[in-house]
Amino acid sequence: MNIPFVKCIFNQHIVKILFSKRWLSDIKTSHYNRKEPNFGVLFDIDGVLTRGRKLLPYTRDAFRKLVTTSGQFRVPTVFVTNAGNELRSSKAAKLSQILGIPVSAEQVIMSHSPLKMYTEFHKKHCLISGQGPIADIAKNLGFTKVTTIEQLCDAFPNLDMVDHKKRRGFHSPFRDYFLPIEAVVLFGEPVRWETCLQLVIDVLMTNGNPSSPIIRPPVSHLPILASNADLLWMAEAALPRFGHGSFMYCLENLYKKISGHPLQYTAIVGKPSEITYYHAEYLISRHAHELGYKQPIKRIYAVGDNPDTDVFGANVYNRYLQTRALSKLKQVVTQTAAVSLTANLSPIFDTNAWNHSNTVELVANDAEHYYSAENIQSILVCTGVYNQEAYDETSSINHGHRDMIMDPELKKPKYTVEHVLDAVKLVYEIEQFH
């Protein structure tokens, strides 16, 4: 055999082996050097991704940046909406369809989602108001005994007297078996406001027995849970539309005018309440875990179109996060001081082991892993409620709910961009994530 030929073949094999090793090394390097995000993004839906049923421009482009070619999210993402007229699973299915990527129900927070935590009301007989499958929504949240406004109208047909055509001259046989209402749950703006306002006030004024005459207005009324206090929201129309906050405003003023006492809420959930963002922080961290990321989430970006809801809520929660961080620091200092004191008093005690185990317990348990954010930054887009020219004229008007102290400084976003694609680009630029 020709010796140079053998050398040539041998050298070719060496080159192939070296190339293969280098190729594998490049793959490993690119895999291990892939930046794992320690941040997440919260998206409002109406006015940010959609206007009513219409998908806004740049929405699909924005989400192409957020997912891989196979449709898997690259960045932990949660959708936080103040809509309350459908189940989370239904909203997730709609998002999957319009965005062209799989969105799970665990990535969606509806305005009513935090009501799942109010277990003390789940076994009470609740009057529920709103539209859509509200009985199913209530049961999905844990409520076991619910009556809708329509069912109350059927039981007490003489109560709904605004529409003359619907007036009936007889009593329902069900009224004698009707159990008293124990709480009221307002899921969202109803279709027929006049009926809903009348019957909710009837129930409050009679302490849950709408067939009884009013002897005197109650000083304290039945518990009221409400979700979504948005005064306005953005649909297909060029102008903002009345939100559930507008209905609540009517209810509060009518009740005070009739009873002489202010209407009091047991809880108001949905943006901008802190409990909604607390829930969102947990879901962001859980989504990161599901994506296989090990790093805890340190920063959250909240993209919205409403300064009174999205921006205010994110900024209020950011203040809470600063307080929480300071509290954790004080706790660590206290624990460290306790270790030092124990070390001085008892040199036999293994202080290093005690310090290590307690530090791990303090900062690495499940709660700490899921609630690890250090800050949340608000990003305002100009495709929904917010309009620069109109806002300059009306920024001093408080569109927030009566029970919320609206610090004007907290309505100012950290960043303002034109649309959702610019918001995603901004986040990537800040995080140096590509």
Side-chain angles (χ1 to χ4, degrees), residues 54-88:
K54 180 183 176 183
L55 191 69
L56 284 168
Y58 303 107
T59 297
R60 284 186 182 271
D61 293 334
F63 278 84
R64 286 192 189 99
K65 286 184 153 301
L66 288 166
V67 299
T68 63
T69 52
S70 61
Q72 181 178 336
F73 279 89
R74 299 174 60 205
V75 174
T77 302
V78 167
F79 302 87
V80 188
T81 175
N82 262 358
N85 59 345
E86 60 186 318
L87 295 162
R88 283 200 310 165

Side-chain angles (χ1 to χ4, degrees), residues 35 37-45 48-49 63 66 75-80 109 271 277 280-281 284-285 296-305 310-311 313-315 317-318 321 373-381 413-417 420-433:
K35 188 176 180 181
N38 60 351
F39 65 94
V41 186
L42 305 178
F43 287 101
D44 181 27
I45 298 175
V48 175
L49 310 180
F63 278 84
L66 288 166
V75 174
T77 302
V78 167
F79 302 87
V80 188
I109 299 177
K271 296 179 293 185
Y277 287 88
E281 182 186 0
I284 276 278
S285 293
I297 295 296
K298 294 297 182 184
R299 292 171 300 283
I300 299 173
Y301 297 90
V303 184
D305 70 306
D310 303 306
V311 173
N315 289 343
Y317 195 67
N318 190 52
L321 292 180
E374 295 173 354
N375 62 69
I376 178 170
Q377 305 295 335
S378 54
I379 302 177
L380 181 65
V381 297
K414 180 72 174 179
Y415 307 100
T416 301
V417 296
V420 66
L421 177 58
D422 284 348
V424 172
K425 287 179 178 179
L426 173 67
V427 171
Y428 277 20
E429 183 181 346
I430 294 169
E431 294 292 337
Q432 294 295 294
F433 186 84

Side-chain angles (χ1 to χ4, degrees), residues 99 110 115 156 166 176 213 223 244 267 274 276 279 322 326:
L99 297 176
M110 308 296 291
L115 291 177
F156 303 96
K166 292 186 67 177
D176 297 329
H244 191 216
E274 286 186 30
T276 296
H279 188 44
Q322 308 313 306
L326 184 60

Side-chain angles (χ1 to χ4, degrees), residues 185-196:
V185 183
L186 308 176
F187 283 114
E189 60 270 22
V191 176
R192 297 179 64 233
W193 286 30
E194 73 286 352
T195 298
C196 218

Side-chain angles (χ1 to χ4, degrees), residues 81-82 109-118 141 185-187 224-230 244 248 265-277 309 404:
T81 175
N82 262 358
I109 299 177
M110 308 296 291
S111 63
H112 49 65
S113 295
L115 291 177
K116 201 175 187 75
M117 293 182 269
Y118 289 82
L141 292 168
V185 183
L186 308 176
F187 283 114
I224 304 177
L225 306 176
S227 67
N228 177 12
D230 280 357
H244 191 216
M248 291 166 65
Y265 295 95
T266 302
I268 300 176
V269 299
K271 296 179 293 185
S273 67
E274 286 186 30
I275 193 170
T276 296
Y277 287 88
T309 300
M404 296 177 184

